[in-house]
Amino acid sequence: MSWDLLLMSIMYVFAGAMHFIKPKAYVKIIPKFLPQRRSLNLLAGAFEILAGLGLLFPETRTYAALFIILMLIAFLLIHFNMLRGEQFSLGIPRWILILRIPLQFILIWWAYLYI
């Protein structure tokens, strides 16, 4: 297994775990028009953990990478929502929020390498 695949796996498992460790921060950035925001947060975290673990096994790697791509595309909604104003940004500087958008496409490309 390559170091970058292991790094990607660790990154998504960690990110998913943070949904359970700091749920309030994640619920705050989920757009209010989405129902059941607490449940959506926990579901997203669980799926992120599963996808990260799925990258470790050749039998599930392609499915995990595809899911990560779809998840990152869906999460663009949250990134754009955070740009709507200070009340949505969690105090994160605007320039960081803007940089996160192209980062999503880099992460999508990285996951694509494992399809």
Side-chain angles (χ1 to χ4, degrees):
M1 177 178 314
S2 64
W3 68 270
D4 68 311
L5 183 59
L6 183 59
L7 176 64
M8 188 185 336
S9 173
I10 291 168
M11 188 177 76
Y12 285 106
V13 170
F14 176 77
M18 291 306 293
H19 286 257
F20 295 92
I21 295 167
K22 298 279 189 185
K24 288 181 183 178
Y26 287 89
V27 170
K28 282 182 184 178
I29 64 173
I30 297 173
K32 299 228 187 285
F33 64 83
L34 292 174
Q36 303 292 321
R37 292 177 18 237
R38 286 186 177 93
S39 297
L40 283 175
N41 170 60
L42 297 176
L43 194 59
F47 279 124
E48 253 183 300
I49 292 168
L50 289 173
L53 294 174
L55 291 171
L56 298 174
F57 304 97
E59 301 83 10
T60 56
R61 187 169 297 142
T62 299
Y63 298 111
L66 280 169
F67 180 77
I68 287 169
I69 290 168
L70 293 173
M71 180 180 63
L72 290 169
I73 291 168
F75 287 176
L76 279 170
L77 171 70
I78 290 166
H79 294 300
F80 283 111
N81 186 61
M82 290 179 76
L83 284 167
R84 289 179 44 211
E86 198 169 304
Q87 74 185 65
F88 303 101
S89 70
L90 293 180
I92 299 170
R94 188 168 180 79
W95 68 270
I96 291 176
L97 295 175
I98 291 169
L99 282 178
R100 285 180 8 165
I101 293 169
L103 176 62
Q104 290 293 105
F105 292 101
I106 293 168
L107 294 173
I108 289 168
W109 169 78
W110 189 11
Y112 181 77
L113 296 176
Y114 291 98
I115 293 179

